[in-house]
Amino acid sequence: MNRNALLARLARQPDWDVIVIGGGATGLGVALDAAARRYSVALVEANDFAKGTSSRTTKLVHGGVRYLAQGNLALVREGLRERANLLRNAPHLAQPLPFVMPAYRWWEKAYYGTGLVLYDVLAGRSGLGKTGFLTRDQTLQLSPTANPANLRGGVKYWDGQFDDARLAIGLARTANEHGACAVNYCKAVDLLRIAGQISGVVVEDTETSKRFEMHSRCVINATGVWVDHVRDMDGSGGAQMVAPSQGIHLVVDRSFLPSDHALLMPGTSDGRVLFAIPWLGKTLLGTTDTPRQDLEYEPRAFEEEIEFILRESARYLSKAPGRADVRSIWVGLRPLVRPFESHGGKTKAISREHTVVIAKSGLVTVTGGKWTTYRAMAEDVLEECFEHKLVKRRAAGVTAHLALIGAPEASGIAISAPPGLHLYGTDAATIAGMPGADHELAPGFTEAMVRFAVRHEFARSVEDVLARRSRLLFLDAAVAASLAAEVGRILKQELGEDFDAQRSVAEFGALAKQYQLL
Ligand SMILES: Cc1cc2nc3c(=O)[nH]c(=O)nc-3n(C[C@H](O)[C@H](O)[C@H](O)COP(=O)(O)OP(=O)(O)OC[C@H]3O[C@@H](n4cnc5c(N)ncnc54)[C@H](O)[C@@H]3O)c2cc1C
């Protein structure tokens, strides 16, 4: 169903069991869970699906090696369980990824190695591969560009990797296939109340500025770092719930890490870890953790963050990347939850990672957590809704074993598709039969993919296509910018006369500049 058909449905059906505000990982996970239990569900996303934090991650499906060091084993176990669920339910979008952690000091191999063996043990049958100790030669064989000076060996372990934005689109499509109505470019601009209790949402179609009302007793605020804006509409009161923290990534060519193994750099000067990760033919370097108060959709990196990543990478890589090597730079905001006494209303900290708050009005707010655990978060949200009688308890959750759209039934099908198409899973065959399948705009990116993005993936602009259906903006912003006019032309054919191609191309050009380190 395309966006117009979804909008028509929103207009036809004023009453819903559940309304979700926000189409990132959290909101889409809730919409799919509720739809799969046969509730009527609408989801409104102010921008494009995953335009917020959910397209700007390190692309790891992980239990969180970092939480091991903090001794938070329950959290690690939850992450590892969800890692296995995601890899099983969306094998075209999430795969196992081996990591090498090089050791430079005498104690590092034993210290980190023991932790990583425990990580493997905690994964149990969901483990992706055995943690192992590496000699110096083995370390350099797997990570040829690891800095050889004083290298003593290393540890190899396994985690998962995914395409975040494409997973979000996959969730939206799967939710809609199960009867939900998840629509992008529809912003919640006000909340409706009857006798102090939430009764619905006022929504604005941001393409036409047309407003309409949607009704439900169960309204879920899943707007990431923006949850406090929606809580303000509710007059929920209380202190701010989220303390945003910025993380940036730099993307450089594969020659800086010519390996299928990611590199975990453990001892950065800020006491965190830094990753160098192979992703779609490039290398991602990241990330940072910087408090940030303003909530821009496209925040800019701080100069110190760029210098930090380049400096730390130079310590661990034999070929040090410089500013001129950066193909793309992107910035995301983590929705970190403040201590929960201060939220106002009844609060339940489900885990240290994510939090669900039910306001006096009945507005449900969920935030925190990580992409990897979106499915478990959704189950927790639904459970809270049942306990507070916002919806009647019906069927049990089924998403642990629910394959997402495009998931190949027999593993291996998606992987064998040509580069670019492998991310589409079983949809690869549809794309291969569409007009423009043979017309490559860039390696692995065809005209047919642009048409598919409009017809099946709700794309509405050049940015939607080049940033989140294809990931070119995140991989090489200059190349993405060079394709904008051609993508605009194809979009015009698909979206019709109302589509302002010139404006969409110009807006993308300006955005792509921000993703380049000039
Ligand atoms: C730098 C960085 C690296 C990370 N790396 C990883 C990783 O490797 N692995 C991992 O598991 N997790 C990772 N995370 C965490 C993960 O990205 C987040 O936990 C997750 O994406 C949050 O999703 P969300 O849906 O809550 O927020 P968002 O993705 O921001 O979604 C909220 C949505 O709400 C919409 N919205 C806002 N206001 C309104 C309104 N009024 N009406 C309608 N819609 C509205 C926004 O447009 C937005 O799309 C990382 C985070 C960062 C910042």
Side-chain angles (χ1 to χ4, degrees):
M1 212 186 268
N2 69 20
R3 184 173 178 275
N4 289 342
L6 291 164
L7 272 176
R9 191 173 157 212
L10 281 191
R12 260 199 329 269
Q13 184 175 333
D15 296 314
W16 301 86
D17 293 328
V18 179
I19 296 175
V20 182
I21 308 174
T26 309
L28 290 165
V30 173
L32 175 57
D33 187 313
R37 295 185 208 222
R38 305 252 174 266
Y39 293 106
S40 63
V41 188
L43 179 148
V44 287
E45 162 55 49
N47 206 293
D48 186 23
F49 298 119
K51 165 73 180 180
T53 309
S54 295
S55 56
R56 299 153 192 272
T57 74
T58 312
K59 324 295 177 208
L60 297 182
V61 190
H62 61 151
V65 173
R66 184 153 67 91
Y67 306 118
L68 259 188
Q70 297 164 2
N72 197 338
L73 299 192
L75 201 56
V76 177
R77 248 196 233 106
E78 180 186 58
L80 291 171
R81 193 191 60 224
E82 291 307 321
R83 182 183 76 177
N85 285 333
L86 184 48
L87 265 61
R88 186 181 58 248
N89 293 331
H92 52 316
L93 296 169
Q95 296 90 26
L97 177 70
F99 284 71
V100 168
M101 196 220 65
Y104 290 94
R105 285 170 286 189
W106 64 268
W107 52 269
E108 279 181 339
K109 199 161 144 180
Y111 177 75
Y112 293 118
T114 310
L116 290 167
V117 168
L118 176 61
Y119 193 58
D120 202 8
V121 170
L122 286 174
R125 288 209 315 232
S126 317
L128 302 175
K130 267 205 158 346
T131 296
F133 292 88
L134 304 172
T135 62
R136 184 179 190 280
D137 284 351
Q138 286 169 327
T139 305
L140 287 172
Q141 214 176 354
L142 298 180
S143 300
T145 48
N147 187 351
N150 301 318
L151 181 68
R152 289 167 180 265
V155 184
K156 174 173 171 171
Y157 75 100
W158 289 81
D159 242 327
Q161 177 177 54
F162 74 133
D163 185 327
D164 47 15
R166 288 205 58 81
L167 181 61
I169 309 297
L171 284 174
R173 293 178 67 205
T174 310
N176 287 350
E177 201 187 48
H178 280 79
C181 190
V183 190
N184 54 1
Y185 296 101
C186 280
K187 182 175 183 177
V189 290
D190 206 355
L191 299 174
L192 300 169
R193 270 169 298 261
I194 296 174
Q197 291 301 294
I198 286 286
S199 61
V201 183
V202 181
V203 175
E204 182 173 302
D205 176 347
T206 63
E207 291 189 351
T208 59
S209 302
K210 222 170 114 187
R211 291 191 174 195
F212 54 94
E213 291 186 358
M214 297 164 57
H215 300 276
S216 176
R217 286 189 58 225
C218 184
V219 175
I220 295 163
N221 170 16
T223 52
V225 290
W226 296 279
V227 285
D228 288 314
H229 292 176
V230 176
R231 278 160 49 80
D232 287 345
M233 287 178 204
D234 181 42
S236 301
Q240 300 282 293
M241 195 170 157
V242 164
S245 159
Q246 172 163 302
I248 77 158
H249 291 86
L250 304 181
V251 179
V252 294
D253 286 342
R254 183 177 150 80
S255 58
F256 290 91
L257 188 76
S259 168
D260 296 334
H261 288 62
L263 199 67
L264 167 72
M265 306 173 242
T268 59
S269 55
D270 72 346
R272 300 186 69 219
V273 299
L274 192 73
F275 289 104
I277 296 185
W279 189 59
L280 299 178
K282 298 278 181 196
T283 302
L284 310 188
L285 302 171
T287 177
T288 54
D289 202 346
T290 316
R292 174 138 205 175
Q293 293 316 313
D294 54 339
L295 298 178
E296 298 284 325
Y297 265 103
E298 292 291 350
R300 284 177 191 269
F302 296 113
E303 199 52 39
E304 307 86 83
E305 292 179 295
I306 299 167
E307 277 166 21
F308 168 79
I309 292 184
L310 292 176
R311 192 176 59 240
E312 293 295 334
S313 302
R315 276 179 60 206
Y316 284 92
L317 297 174
S318 55
K319 184 179 169 193
R323 293 180 77 93
D325 298 310
V326 175
R327 303 277 176 243
S328 179
I329 169 170
W330 79 78
V331 183
L333 300 175
R334 288 179 196 85
L336 296 186
V337 181
R338 291 176 193 268
F340 57 82
E341 300 78 56
S342 57
H343 298 161
K346 193 161 185 286
T347 307
K348 185 167 177 189
I350 301 292
S351 82
R352 245 214 268 173
E353 277 271 274
H354 67 271
T355 298
V356 183
V357 180
I358 315 280
K360 285 197 189 80
S361 65
L363 175 70
V364 181
T365 297
V366 52
T367 195
K370 54 180 191 260
W371 232 124
T372 307
T373 51
Y374 80 92
R375 198 204 63 81
M377 284 168 73
E379 281 190 346
D380 289 341
V381 170
L382 266 283
E383 191 53 42
E384 287 292 298
C385 294
F386 299 146
E387 277 183 26
H388 287 81
K389 302 197 175 357
L390 298 172
V391 274
K392 250 201 191 132
R393 187 186 292 276
R394 221 186 268 164
V398 296
T399 52
H401 294 279
L402 186 81
L404 299 194
I405 212 161
E409 276 171 31
S411 64
I413 293 178
I415 312 301
S416 67
L421 268 183
H422 67 286
L423 291 165
Y424 291 83
T426 54
D427 286 327
T430 309
I431 294 170
M434 284 176 72
D438 297 334
H439 178 204
E440 234 181 18
L441 306 178
F445 176 55
T446 62
E447 178 185 324
M449 289 175 181
V450 182
R451 298 190 188 282
F452 185 84
V454 175
R455 294 183 199 178
H456 301 282
E457 299 181 323
F458 325 110
R460 308 292 299 173
S461 70
V462 172
E463 181 194 331
D464 293 352
V465 173
L466 288 171
R468 289 172 292 277
R469 278 48 173 197
S470 127
R471 306 310 307 277
L472 271 167
L473 177 65
F474 287 75
L475 293 166
D476 193 324
V479 169
S482 73
L483 301 177
E486 181 68 355
V487 170
R489 188 189 61 76
I490 302 163
L491 287 184
K492 183 94 188 168
Q493 290 174 4
E494 291 289 326
L495 292 167
E497 279 313 302
D498 288 349
F499 176 66
D500 186 343
Q502 214 177 349
R503 185 170 148 197
S504 192
V505 170
E507 284 173 354
F508 183 75
L511 181 67
K513 278 209 175 81
Q514 194 175 323
Y515 280 61
Q516 293 170 64
L517 203 53
L518 301 171

